[in-house]
Amino acid sequence: LVVFNLIFGLMSGPTMGALNTATSYNAPASWVFLALIMLMFFWGTQVITNVSHVTTSGTVATWYFVGAGSMPSNPAVASLKRSMTTSFGSICLGSLIVAILKTIYYMARIMTQNENEFVRCIILCIIGCIESLMEYFNIYALTHVAIYGCSYIQAAKKTWELIKMCAWAAIFNDSLVWPVLTMTNLIGAVALGVAGGFIAGNLTLGIITFVVAWVVLMLLLRPIYSGVVTIFVCFAHEPEAVHAANPEFGQAIVAAKALADTSTC
């Protein structure tokens, strides 16, 4: 996935330039070809990312409901198996919806680049907001898929109920967690990049070290976010389960919740 993204990033400039030249003649086949390329790329990356998310969420949910002392053998492997079999259709469907919105967004950027800038900004802003909201919704929907093993439609309904019940608590929770992970990623990558460049005495090597460290740390920290979302969803729906399986952790959550004095969830 990382290599695919790097290659796509390096090739996107020349490729888009060539496709812009081809599409400047308004040939329908060129536009369809460009849209299909984007759709395949976004769908593929979304599926891979969401398989990882559902695998992590399933593992954390198992711990939440049964406790550390009663964990089955190889829970991560079992969760990955579910992600690649019974839950794979739901993952593909959710990923496809987001991929379609991303494709529409980037196609709109290309197709409206020579039109009125104000109208272009309004269109891109609306499409971008819809795409971001759907991607955010998709994370919680697929978390429900991982926890309950339901279809994507059922998970979407559960997610909508969760939004009506405690949407602001979820936003507040993510606003605390994601910046911390981002700063941890940035500080670690900068430290390794500076150290690598200083030891080698080469600025280019330091930059390469920074980029590699950023990607690796991002991959390592992403499951933490998936775990936090899973615990939030589990506690929102079934708060009593954590007290039976993990009483100390349950008490810590209740104490933190009381300290924050949140009444939305």
Side-chain angles (χ1 to χ4, degrees):
L1 175 59
V2 174
V3 174
F4 189 29
N5 276 285
L6 290 175
I7 293 174
F8 184 83
L10 292 173
M11 295 180 62
S12 60
T15 302
M16 290 306 165
L19 287 171
N20 282 338
T21 301
T23 53
S24 62
Y25 298 101
N26 293 321
S30 299
W31 290 112
V32 172
F33 179 69
L34 175 58
L36 288 176
I37 289 178
M38 287 186 173
L39 180 60
M40 287 188 293
F41 170 73
F42 289 131
W43 194 12
T45 54
Q46 283 291 315
V47 168
I48 295 172
T49 302
N50 289 330
V51 165
S52 174
H53 172 72
V54 171
T55 300
T56 303
S57 296
T59 306
V60 174
T62 302
W63 170 85
Y64 181 92
F65 287 107
V66 305
S70 303
M71 288 286 284
S73 60
N74 302 319
V77 175
S79 182
L80 176 62
K81 182 179 178 181
R82 291 192 299 271
S83 300
M84 297 300 295
T85 54
T86 56
S87 298
F88 193 65
S90 298
I91 293 173
C92 290
L93 177 58
S95 301
L96 179 60
I97 294 172
V98 174
I100 290 173
L101 290 173
K102 285 182 176 291
T103 301
I104 293 173
Y105 174 75
Y106 284 102
M107 287 295 293
R109 287 188 62 178
I110 297 173
M111 296 176 70
T112 61
Q113 61 184 356
N114 295 321
E115 297 179 6
N116 184 278
E117 283 297 318
F118 178 76
V119 175
R120 176 174 180 266
C121 288
I122 295 296
I123 293 174
L124 291 178
C125 181
I126 294 173
I127 298 175
C129 288
I130 295 173
E131 182 268 322
S132 298
L133 288 172
M134 186 61 213
E135 190 168 13
Y136 186 72
F137 180 89
N138 206 42
I139 292 172
Y140 282 85
L142 292 177
T143 301
H144 283 89
V145 170
I147 297 171
Y148 299 106
C150 54
S151 68
Y152 185 82
I153 302 300
Q154 293 173 325
K157 293 178 180 179
K158 289 179 177 290
T159 303
W160 182 246
E161 292 300 321
L162 180 67
I163 290 173
K164 292 190 292 184
M165 182 172 58
C166 51
W168 289 112
I171 294 172
F172 182 74
N173 181 67
D174 291 336
S175 297
L176 290 176
V177 174
W178 195 246
V180 172
L181 295 179
T182 302
M183 288 303 300
T184 302
N185 193 1
L186 178 61
I187 293 172
V190 169
L192 290 173
V194 171
F198 180 77
I199 293 173
N202 189 311
L203 177 61
T204 302
L205 184 59
I207 295 174
I208 295 174
T209 304
F210 167 79
V211 173
V212 173
W214 174 272
V215 173
V216 172
L217 289 173
M218 179 178 63
L219 295 175
L220 292 176
L221 294 175
R222 177 73 187 193
I224 296 177
Y225 175 71
S226 298
V228 171
V229 172
T230 304
I231 292 174
F232 178 88
V233 173
C234 290
F235 188 78
H237 286 300
E238 302 181 55
E240 68 283 349
V242 71
H243 296 290
N246 302 280
E248 293 183 1
F249 183 71
Q251 292 174 3
I253 292 181
V254 171
K257 186 172 181 291
L259 182 63
D261 193 26
T262 56
S263 60
T264 54
C265 187

